[in-house]
Every structure is written in C-alpha cells, then in structure tokens.
Amino acid sequence: MSRFRPLAALVGVATLALAGIASPALADDNIPFTVDQTSVTVSQAGESFTLTGTGCKPNEADSTGVVTVSLLTDNDVEGSPVGETEVHRGGDDRWSVTTDSVDWYGEAPTTVRVSCALSHEDAHAPVVKIPLRVTGATAVPTAEPTSTLAPTPMPTPTAVPTVVPTGSSSSISTDVTSVPASGEVTVTATGFAPGESVDVYLHSTPVHLTTTTADASGKVIVKVTIPAGTDPGAHHLVLTGQTSGISLRQAITVNAPTTTTTATGTATRKPATGSRLAATGITVLPLLLAGGAVLGGTALAARRRATS
C-alpha cells in the first residue's frame, strides 16, 4: 500500500493547482457591471446629471466597489471625475451616481466614462463609455477665472461736451463775429429744454466760461468774456444743455489784444490843496517863460525912456 502514497500526494497537488487556476478572484473583467443609460443629454454646459446601473459588487467581505463617473474630451482619455458612489457586498445590486455641477473650461467634454474598481481585490469590471450631448449653449470659458472680486473702478475725468447736429428748432448766434482777448461777446441760442442748465465753453482747447439757465421757451442769452490768454485765430463758442444733451456751436474769431501808447514828456500839474485855480491840465512851463519875456521887455523899454 505504501507504494501508492506518492501517487496520491501527486494527485492532491494537481487538484489544488487546478482549483487555483479556476478561482474567479484572479480573473480580469469578471465583475458584472452595467450602465442603464446609453447616452447623456444636458441643456447647458456644466449641468449635473444622474446615471444608474447594476453590478460592481465586491466578492470579499472587506472589499468595497466604487463606481466613478468622469468627463472626457476628444484629447483627454482619462478625464476629470465628477461623481462616484460605493457598492458594498451586503447591499443592493443597484447603484446610482449624481454628478457635481461643475464649470467646463477650455475644450468641452464629449464622452462620459463610467468605471468600477474593487478595493482589496484583483478583479476588475469593464469601463463603459457613453456619448455626452449639450442641447443649449456650448460655449465655455477658455481659462479659469483667477478672482471673483470685481476690479475697483478708476475715476474718469469730466467729459468734454460732444457737439451734436443742430436740430431745425435750434439756433445760435453772437452779437459780433470777432472779439479781442479779454473782450466780451453776447450769445443767443434756442432749442434747449425749458429751465435746464446750459454750459458755455470756448473751443478749440475746451475752456469752461460759465453756466447759465434756459428760460421757459428754452432760450439762452448770455454774455461771456474771452480769456486774456486765448490765442488769436478761429475758435468756437459751444453751448451744451445738461439735461437735454443738445449742443450748439458758433464760430468766433479772437483778435490779438490792442495796445495804446502814451506820449512822453507831458506833465500835468495838480493844484495844491486850498488853491483857487482849477486843474486845467495846461502845461505851466511855457506860460512862465512867456510871462518872463513880457516883464523883461517892459523893463528894458522903461530904462531906454529914462536914459533919453
């Protein structure tokens, strides 16, 4: 009988080896795993959706099945996970995953990737891929924003009035067509809103001259002074209504300031306090010389008569 013992032992080892080869825990893609949906449709980019299915149930008590949903683009085979759920050995065979509502940046995803992985096991389930369609707007940002804070607005300078075409009911005129620097000109304009404030500017380089008020008929009559430093040449007077936005312009020529010369050598004597003579402005020196000559002539004539 002892001669059969080695043969029995050899048969036992072969049996164990065959049992190990047939063990389902060592095979790949042997875990049942299905997805109910054959495609996913959302109304806008980044919208959340729900997938359901069966399987991904672990074989071992200490193992856990994890169903993961990712979004793939045409150039990204791994994708970005947007949702997952766990499947336990003693639980229901059904699973459900609702994805996060996330923003899409850059290239829009076109495929949903659903995978099953088992912890502590070498078994795997096949990966399921289904198409993703967007029925609404598909445009997505090209880059992720770096900040949600609105930028602090910078102060803007006061806008210079813009001249708009004159309407048929509007008019403007001046009492003169040319005026020297520092001179005055009267402007008459119509067509503004009744009672509105009207700004008066001198162009080309805008200079605010004054602000006046239109009367009940929308008419303005205002006298302005041309600044002393205004360059000679062609300019415009511009009147702009603060409420209506109506802006009228009138051409005006600014002349060089006139100069006056005073004759030198002329002296005016002011009478002393208490004098009975009026200040006539007559030159005194010629009168004194003439008086001296008369007195000298009279004295000479009297001397000749006495000698003869």
Side-chain angles (χ1 to χ4, degrees):
M1 294 295 295
S2 60
R3 61 182 179 179
F4 294 105
R5 290 179 182 176
L7 179 59
L10 181 60
V11 172
V13 171
T15 302
L16 291 176
L18 291 174
I21 294 174
S23 174
L26 301 179
D28 289 338
D29 298 339
N30 62 343
I31 299 298
F33 180 64
T34 61
V35 179
D36 296 336
Q37 292 76 21
T38 58
S39 66
V40 175
T41 301
V42 294
S43 60
Q44 61 183 359
E47 186 178 58
S48 176
F49 57 89
T50 300
L51 294 179
T52 58
T54 60
C56 199
K57 202 169 185 178
N59 292 320
E60 301 177 6
D62 60 345
S63 180
T64 301
V66 178
V67 178
T68 303
V69 178
S70 304
L71 299 180
L72 308 180
T73 65
D74 292 337
N75 297 316
D76 183 6
V77 297
E78 294 297 329
S80 302
V82 292
E84 67 178 22
T85 187
E86 293 184 353
V87 180
H88 300 280
R89 179 177 176 82
D92 190 5
D93 193 43
R94 299 282 301 172
W95 56 263
S96 174
V97 177
T98 299
T99 65
D100 299 328
S101 179
V102 296
D103 294 329
W104 297 351
Y105 298 103
E107 187 179 3
T110 57
T111 304
V112 178
R113 180 181 186 270
V114 189
S115 62
C116 168
L118 301 177
S119 62
H120 309 298
E121 294 189 34
D122 293 331
H124 300 278
V127 174
V128 179
K129 294 182 180 180
I130 55 179
L132 171 65
R133 291 190 291 267
V134 181
T135 59
T138 58
V140 296
T142 57
E144 185 175 358
T146 57
S147 174
T148 58
L149 297 178
T152 303
M154 297 297 293
T156 55
T158 302
V160 177
T162 302
V163 178
V164 298
T166 305
S168 59
S169 61
S170 302
S171 64
I172 184 172
S173 61
T174 55
D175 61 339
V176 293
T177 58
S178 63
V179 62
S182 301
E184 293 182 338
V185 57
T186 300
V187 187
T188 303
T190 61
F192 296 102
E196 76 168 319
S197 297
V198 179
D199 292 317
V200 183
Y201 292 85
L202 177 66
H203 286 213
S204 298
T205 302
V207 178
H208 185 260
L209 301 180
T210 188
T211 299
T212 187
T213 303
D215 62 15
S217 64
K219 185 176 182 179
V220 168
I221 301 177
V222 59
K223 179 181 289 186
V224 294
T225 300
I226 304 300
T230 304
D231 294 333
H235 296 268
H236 285 86
L237 290 170
V238 179
L239 276 65
T240 302
Q242 295 183 1
T243 303
S244 65
I246 294 175
S247 190
L248 309 176
R249 67 161 59 203
Q250 174 66 35
I252 189 75
T253 301
V254 177
N255 301 323
T258 57
T259 58
T260 58
T261 57
T262 303
T264 59
T266 302
T268 302
R269 184 176 181 180
K270 183 177 180 180
T273 305
S275 172
R276 291 175 296 174
L277 297 176
T280 62
I282 301 174
T283 304
V284 178
L285 182 58
L287 295 178
L288 293 177
L289 294 177
V294 172
L295 293 177
T298 303
L300 181 60
R303 185 176 181 184
R304 287 178 180 176
R305 284 195 301 269
T307 305
S308 60

